[in-house]
Amino acid sequence: MSPDPTLKSHRKPDIETTIVDVGSVRFGDGSYPVIAGPCAIEGEDQMMEAAAMAKEGGASMLRGGAFKPRTSPYSFQGLGEEGLWLLEHAGKENGLPTVTEVMQPEQVELVATHADMLQVGARNMQNFPLLKAVGQAARPVMLKRGPSATIDEWLLAAEYILNEGNANVLLCERGIRTFETRTRNTLDISAVPVVQRLSHLPVIVDPSHATGERELIVPMALAGRAAGADGLMVEIHPRPDAALSDGPQQLDRAGFMDLMQSLGFPALRDDIDRIDRELIGLIALRLERSVEIGRMKVKDGLPLRSLDREEELIADARADAVHMGVDPGYAAELMELILRHSRAAQEAELGTGTSE
Ligand code: PEP
Ligand code: MN
């Protein structure tokens, strides 16, 4: 089975794996980012506790369902828009980008204003109007595999999104329905390398919905990584026994910490890489701002370099460092280096020595 070059979702000889960026999180670069959060957003306390757990364990992204596709109409259907606000708040407080499910084309705009990535759930994999709508959104999309969809049907669903101009599609294998009833679904691990052979799109695994049982999360998460998956999604809850949906498969704090420990130092390295990307991004932004301010000073004929201001910045960095448990000498040294490079950038741009 080889890729069909006429399909946008399929691999072309000259195209690398697509990297889907969500903030500083990257899917498809060989790392294994972890998305964690509750099945459903149930209220502020639960969401904030779950987000703090996700952050503490080292997850890269936060999940939580506000619009829940439930098998029974009598089950908890989610908090809707209120849930979106809670998710956004929890993500911002913890510095984690967010993903949440959108179920109808009319909801796409609203969900996109609150979340960093849109999720199309397994039950909606072939909701073609929804696929077209998320294809027009300015947000990356995580497309879950339908419980009875073949890999080809799944990739054709992705094709609908790509075809609308949205190139940022992340696939998620969440288990398919087989004759086996001992697990909720069957995690199709082989789908990972098969998708990667056929498609340039990154693919992650979701052992929570695949197995339905928290004891199976660690082995299946490790299996996903061994198979080369581009990331992991797991459900966590501060009190899984009281969860309003999917309680048996959600990890509590201790279970999540165990999982993250099982993933070991490769996971920590992924996180360090992500932090480094954030640092470089912030440095680029800071350089831009200092050139901007230099330009304004030149225009207004103001004195350029201010040693007082530089001293103040270094003192602030020292004080912040003490607060954050970092050696103040380290922070001061870093700030001096940053200031030196800012001056160099200003000189290069404006042809004169200035300061902020
Ligand atoms: C979910 O991830 O919240 C979810 C409902 O999963 P799935 O669509 O895979 O059943
Ligand atoms: Mn769930």
Side-chain angles (χ1 to χ4, degrees), residues 4 11 14 21 32 44 50 58 75 87 147 166 175 191 217 253 257 266 291 295 302 307 311 319 326 355:
D4 174 350
R11 207 170 258 294
D14 53 335
D21 289 303
Y32 195 61
E44 184 167 3
S75 304
L87 178 68
N166 191 341
I217 307 298
R253 188 184 167 282
M257 298 305 147
V291 170
R295 199 168 280 131
L302 290 171
L307 289 174
E311 269 169 30
V326 175
S355 112

Side-chain angles (χ1 to χ4, degrees), residues 39 63 68 184 209 235 245-246 249:
C39 177
R63 64 150 285 145
K68 294 302 300 174
R184 181 175 174 183
H209 293 92
E235 288 188 340
S245 60
D246 286 351
Q249 72 196 30

Side-chain angles (χ1 to χ4, degrees), residues 39 63 68-69 101 119 121-123 144 174 184 206 209 233 235:
C39 177
R63 64 150 285 145
K68 294 302 300 174
E101 177 158 358
Q119 172 172 329
R123 291 158 192 80
K144 299 192 94 176
R174 46 76 75 202
R184 181 175 174 183
D206 168 0
H209 293 92
M233 179 152 97
E235 288 188 340

Side-chain angles (χ1 to χ4, degrees), residues 159-238:
E159 193 78 15
Y160 271 86
I161 304 171
L162 299 173
N163 206 30
E164 295 296 322
N166 191 341
N168 294 306
V169 178
L170 173 65
L171 300 167
C172 177
E173 161 60 45
R174 46 76 75 202
I176 49 175
R177 188 163 280 193
T178 67
F179 58 80
E180 183 54 70
T181 54
R182 286 281 176 180
T183 49
R184 181 175 174 183
N185 291 287
T186 298
L187 183 64
D188 183 5
I189 287 284
S190 61
V192 171
V194 171
V195 162
Q196 288 173 340
R197 187 171 61 196
L198 281 175
S199 175
H200 55 89
L201 298 174
V203 55
I204 68 169
V205 292
D206 168 0
S208 303
H209 293 92
T211 65
E213 198 188 318
R214 69 175 68 90
E215 281 72 26
L216 297 175
I217 307 298
V218 168
M220 292 299 97
L222 291 171
R225 189 172 66 191
D230 297 296
L232 174 73
M233 179 152 97
V234 286
E235 288 188 340
I236 62 173
H237 193 290

Side-chain angles (χ1 to χ4, degrees), residues 103-106 108 124-136 160-161 164:
M103 295 198 340
Q104 297 170 28
E106 306 75 50
V108 169
N124 274 313
M125 191 203 81
Q126 285 185 318
N127 178 340
F128 301 116
L130 179 63
L131 297 175
K132 287 184 189 170
V134 296
Q136 289 164 15
Y160 271 86
I161 304 171
E164 295 296 322

